[in-house]
Amino acid sequence: MNLLEKREQKRLALKRREEREKLREDMERLEEEIRRNEILFNFATDEYLIESIIFEHNAQEAKMNYLLKQAREI
């Protein structure tokens, strides 16, 4: 393996590491949003607000599934 190939491998490894770190941060941020949404749901009394919270929760679940899929592919 020549020097250029080694540099390219290091660059790709660094890029994958950065992608994994960004995914981890995105997932942590989303988990915090989900927790806040659950707290809001527990105290909501207005039917329209409850419906909105449920829609937001479904969107958060879909986003988490997407992030998990991305994590598996890296």
Side-chain angles (χ1 to χ4, degrees), residues 32-55:
E32 182 60 35
E33 289 176 20
I34 290 170
R35 281 192 289 277
R36 282 195 303 267
N37 200 38
E38 288 172 351
I39 291 169
L40 184 58
F41 179 80
N42 289 332
F43 290 102
T45 55
D46 181 80
E47 65 183 281
Y48 295 111
L49 178 59
I50 293 170
E51 184 177 7
S52 171
I53 293 168
I54 291 170
F55 280 118

Side-chain angles (χ1 to χ4, degrees), residues 55-68:
F55 280 118
E56 187 172 349
H57 174 75
N58 290 337
Q60 290 166 333
E61 279 187 345
K63 186 168 185 178
M64 183 61 79
N65 289 335
Y66 166 77
L67 292 174
L68 289 168

Side-chain angles (χ1 to χ4, degrees), residues 17-33 35 63-64 67 71:
R17 196 173 318 125
E18 290 170 350
E19 290 173 350
R20 283 192 302 267
E21 179 64 23
K22 183 178 181 329
L23 274 171
R24 186 187 61 76
E25 290 170 0
D26 289 348
M27 291 172 81
E28 287 177 356
R29 209 173 3 260
L30 184 56
E31 286 174 346
E32 182 60 35
E33 289 176 20
R35 281 192 289 277
K63 186 168 185 178
M64 183 61 79
L67 292 174

Side-chain angles (χ1 to χ4, degrees), residues 6 15 56 62:
K6 287 181 182 181
K15 183 179 177 183
E56 187 172 349

